[in-house]
Amino acid sequence: MNDVAAAGVYQSFIGLEVHIHLLTKTKVFCGCRSAFGDEPNTNVCPVCLGYPGVLPSLNLEAMRMGCMVAKALNCRIPEKTWFERKQYFYPDMTKNYQISQFASPLGQEGCVDMEGRVSGGAGGELIKRKVRIRECHLEEDAGKMIHTGTVSLLDYNRAGVSLLEIVTEPDMENGEEAELFIQQLRRIVRYLGVCDGNMEEGSLRADANVSVNSRGKGLGRKVEIKNLNSSRFVRLALNHEITRQTGLLAEGKTVVQETRLWNENRDQTEPMRTKENAQDYRYFPEPDLPVFSPGGAFLKSVEDALVELPLHRTRRLAAEYALEEEQADMICEEKACADYFEAAAGAAPRSAVPRVVNWLLQDVRRIMGRDGIALGDIGTIRLTPARLASLAAAAEKGGVSGKNARETLEAVMLEDRDPLDIIREKGWERISDPGEIARAVGAVRAAEEAAFGEAKAAGAEGNAKRLRTLTAYLVGKVLAATGGRADPKIAGEQIAAAIENM
Ligand code: ADP
Ligand code: ZN
Ligand code: MG
C-alpha cells in the first residue's frame, strides 16, 4: 500500500511531552546555582544530592514561570496545586524518587492555536491546527550520565534544576505538525523569557508519542520516541514511525507498545525498552512540601509578566504595517527583533516603513550576521531604532540617495554616531533649499561667464544639443561647488532659468 492509500485507511495520532528548563537562577527545591556547562558536581548540596533528612523548599520563581507558560497555553491554574514523589531507581537520581506533580499540576486543560509552515516539511504547506494541552507540571530534572568506554560518569549539576513538562493531547497527525508545535512553543517560552529554548543543550527536550489505527477507530497502541534533540528530528522520527506502524498494521500485525529511540545516523527509530505504567511509579504526595495555593498577589505577578504572544504579534504587525507573511514571520522570530521593528516603524513616517522593513530584514540582519551579533541582541546595536527611522525618513524625502543611505547604516554600526551627522559629514546630504542652490548658481555664473555666453548663443541659434551640453557642464559646476550635495534637478532648473534671463 502506498502512503496516500494508507493515509485514507489509517489515521495517526501524536501527543508530545515537552520538557523545558526554566531560567531560574537557582534550582527548584534548593539554593544551588542553575547553570549549563559549569564544572561537574560544583552546583550541588545535600538537598539536590538527596541526603537523608533534608528538606526541599519551593522556588517561587519556578512556580511563577511555570504558571506564565500555563497561562500562555490557556491552561486553568487550579486553586490548589501540590507535588508528588514519582518513585523509580536510576543512578542519575540519588533519592530514588523525583519530585513531580501528578494529581493537581499547576496548569490544566489548555489549548494552543498553531499556524505556520515548517521549512523542509511537506512542501512548506500552511498548517493550521488547535492542539489541546493536557497539563503543565513542575518537577526537578535528574543528573546527567556520561558513558565513556567502560566507566559511567555522573554530573549532578543538573539534578534539581527547574523543569516544566508540557503534555499535549494526541491532537497532531504528522511530523510536520509536531515540528511546528515545538517551534511555536519554543518561540512562546523565549518571548516569555522563561527558557532559552536551546535544544542542543537540552533546555528544551521533547518526547513524542505516536500511534496509528484504522481510520475512525480512535487511538492506536502508542509508541514513545525519546532522544529527539532537534525539532527536525521530531518530524523525521514521527514520519518514520507512522510509516513503520502503518506498514505493520497493513500486514495484519500489531504494534508493540514500547519506547523507541531516534537513531540520527540511520534515520530510523529503534526499540529501547517497554514502558512502565503510572502505577509502577507509585506516586504519593510529597510530605515535605506544603500545598501551594496561588493567591491574588501571586496570580497578578504572573499576569503582569505576560507579554503579547508571537502568533498574535505576527498577525497584528502584518495587519498594522501591511507586511507579507514571510516578513512578519521573520520580524517576529525573536521578541527583541519585533520590539526593535515596532520602535523603528513607530518613529518613522508611514511612507518610510517599507524601507525600514527592507533594511531590517536585509542590510541590518546581514551586518549583524557578519559581525556575529545574535538577533536576540538587536536591542543593543548602535543602529538604534530611532537612528534607523531617521535615516529611512531622510531617504524617503530624497535627502540622501538609497546607496548612500545603506552605506550610512554601515557607518553608524562602525562609528556609533547619528546617521544624519554622518551623511552631512560625508557630503551625502542633498541640498534642496532653492535659496542655497541659487547662491551656488550665482557663484558659478560669475566664474563661468564664457560658458553662460555660449549657452545663451546656442539657445538663440536653436542648437539644442549644444545648449544641453553646456547646461550639463554648468550643473556639474554647481554640484562641484556644493560637494555633490545640491539636488541636481533644482540646480538644472535654475541654470536653465539663468541662461534664459541673460
Ligand atoms: P503515559 O502514561 O505512557 O505517560 P499518557 O497517557 O500520560 O501516557 O500520555 C503521554 C502522552 O502520550 C500525551 O502527550 C498523550 O497525548 C500521548 N498519548 C497517549 N495515548 C496516545 C496514543 N494512543 N497515541 C498517541 N499519543 C498518545
Ligand atoms: Zn542543591
Ligand atoms: Mg504520562
Side-chain angles (χ1 to χ4, degrees):
M1 191 178 321
N2 66 32
D3 284 359
V4 179
V9 178
Y10 297 103
Q11 194 172 1
S12 44
F13 303 89
I14 295 169
L16 297 174
E17 294 165 287
V18 185
H19 289 88
I20 63 167
H21 269 164
L22 296 175
L23 285 170
T24 49
K25 289 196 185 64
T26 54
K27 295 184 180 181
V28 60
F29 300 121
C30 66
C32 290
R33 207 168 104 84
S34 181
F36 177 85
D38 282 1
E39 188 68 19
N41 298 308
T42 51
N43 301 323
V44 291
C45 74
V47 175
C48 56
L49 286 179
Y51 285 21
V54 293
L55 285 177
S57 67
L58 174 63
N59 180 340
L60 258 183
E61 192 58 11
M63 180 58 86
R64 200 176 61 83
M65 288 182 176
C67 287
M68 285 168 65
V69 176
K71 275 277 177 199
L73 302 179
N74 301 299
C75 289
R76 181 170 53 78
I77 296 177
E79 276 171 27
K80 287 185 163 67
T81 176
W82 59 85
F83 294 88
E84 273 93 359
R85 288 186 181 178
K86 180 178 178 179
Q87 327 279 330
Y88 66 92
F89 169 77
Y90 210 63
D92 61 4
M93 234 189 22
T94 55
K95 298 199 293 285
N96 289 343
Y97 62 84
Q98 176 192 30
I99 304 181
S100 183
Q101 297 197 288
F102 183 65
S104 185
L106 61 79
Q108 304 176 13
E109 297 171 316
C111 73
V112 47
D113 276 322
M114 283 205 299
E115 184 178 320
R117 301 168 199 274
V118 291
S119 54
E125 279 167 46
L126 182 68
I127 298 169
K128 277 190 182 202
R129 189 178 279 281
K130 204 185 241 340
V131 176
R132 289 169 300 154
I133 305 295
R134 182 179 292 176
E135 64 176 63
C136 302
H137 62 252
L138 186 60
E139 59 190 25
E140 55 181 339
D141 203 353
K144 198 159 136 193
M145 290 227 272
I146 301 137
H147 308 287
T148 62
T150 54
V151 289
S152 288
L153 304 171
L154 280 158
D155 175 8
Y156 290 105
N157 282 352
R158 204 179 66 186
V161 163
S162 329
L163 203 60
L164 189 75
E165 179 171 345
I166 298 141
V167 185
T168 79
E169 294 293 346
D171 288 347
M172 288 158 277
E173 265 188 49
N174 53 47
E176 284 72 20
E177 291 182 2
E179 179 171 23
L180 183 66
F181 179 87
I182 289 174
Q183 287 177 351
Q184 300 214 336
L185 180 64
R186 181 173 180 275
R187 253 191 345 169
I188 290 173
V189 298
R190 286 171 59 87
Y191 263 59
L192 294 174
V194 301
C195 174
D196 64 25
N198 191 329
M199 288 189 86
E200 293 96 82
E201 290 183 359
S203 316
L204 190 154
R205 314 197 287 262
D207 296 337
N209 301 272
V210 51
S211 70
V212 176
N213 206 354
S214 299
R215 189 163 286 278
K217 290 275 172 60
L219 299 172
R221 210 189 293 256
K222 91 173 158 129
V223 163
E224 180 173 8
I225 315 170
K226 289 192 172 288
N227 205 22
L228 300 166
N229 56 11
S230 85
S231 65
R232 195 173 72 90
F233 290 157
V234 171
R235 162 166 54 86
L236 295 176
L238 282 167
N239 286 343
H240 173 273
E241 190 57 24
I242 288 169
T243 305
R244 187 186 71 88
Q245 292 184 22
T246 305
L248 286 174
L249 296 178
E251 286 172 29
K253 297 182 178 153
T254 51
V255 175
V256 179
Q257 173 151 349
E258 63 184 349
T259 300
R260 297 175 75 89
L261 287 181
W262 173 243
N263 184 327
E264 62 181 86
N265 298 319
R266 292 190 174 167
D267 277 355
Q268 63 182 31
T269 62
E270 294 167 357
M272 176 182 147
R273 61 174 146 108
T274 52
K275 186 151 191 201
E276 310 83 353
N277 293 319
Q279 301 92 296
D280 298 337
Y281 290 125
R282 294 192 298 107
Y283 278 100
F284 72 87
E286 164 63 58
D288 292 337
L289 284 166
V291 168
F292 183 77
S293 306
F298 175 82
L299 290 174
K300 181 162 186 309
S301 77
V302 169
E303 211 63 56
D304 289 348
L306 292 178
V307 298
E308 183 180 17
L309 295 177
L311 187 56
H312 188 271
R313 193 161 192 192
T314 309
R315 288 173 176 159
R316 179 175 65 78
L317 292 187
E320 250 172 59
Y321 295 102
L323 305 176
E324 286 161 26
E325 180 192 314
E326 203 188 345
Q327 293 177 327
D329 224 51
M330 282 172 81
I331 286 171
C332 293
E333 188 179 318
E334 298 261 358
K335 180 174 178 294
C337 185
D339 289 345
Y340 180 95
F341 169 74
E342 272 206 273
R350 205 61 197 186
S351 56
V353 169
R355 221 176 271 267
V356 168
V357 175
N358 284 336
W359 285 349
L360 173 58
L361 294 181
Q362 291 165 25
D363 304 61
V364 178
R365 283 179 67 133
R366 178 183 51 77
I367 295 168
M368 287 175 63
R370 185 198 61 197
D371 297 351
I373 305 169
L375 198 54
D377 291 328
I378 194 170
T380 66
I381 64 174
R382 293 167 166 183
L383 181 67
T384 60
R387 285 173 171 177
L388 185 72
S390 76
L391 184 57
E396 189 59 23
K397 281 200 311 244
V400 58
S401 69
K403 178 175 160 287
N404 285 343
R406 295 176 113 123
E407 285 180 43
T408 309
L409 290 177
E410 285 269 9
V412 174
M413 294 286 266
L414 210 65
E415 300 167 22
D416 193 13
R417 289 168 55 210
D418 185 83
L420 301 185
D421 286 349
I422 293 173
I423 289 171
R424 220 169 287 135
E425 187 185 282
K426 301 253 184 191
W428 288 339
E429 185 196 36
R430 265 203 191 145
I431 300 169
S432 43
D433 170 27
E436 202 175 340
I437 295 173
R439 275 193 291 284
V441 169
V444 171
R445 171 88 209 257
E448 298 283 343
E449 201 55 53
F452 268 93
E454 265 188 65
K456 181 74 190 173
E461 286 162 21
N463 188 345
K465 191 172 167 232
R466 180 78 186 136
L467 176 60
R468 262 204 310 280
T469 308
L470 285 161
T471 307
Y473 166 79
L474 293 167
V475 170
K477 289 287 170 193
V478 175
L479 289 182
T482 55
R485 292 155 56 213
D487 185 320
K489 191 163 159 280
I490 301 175
E493 287 162 6
Q494 292 193 5
I495 291 287
I499 296 167
E500 183 91 34
N501 299 332
M502 270 175 78

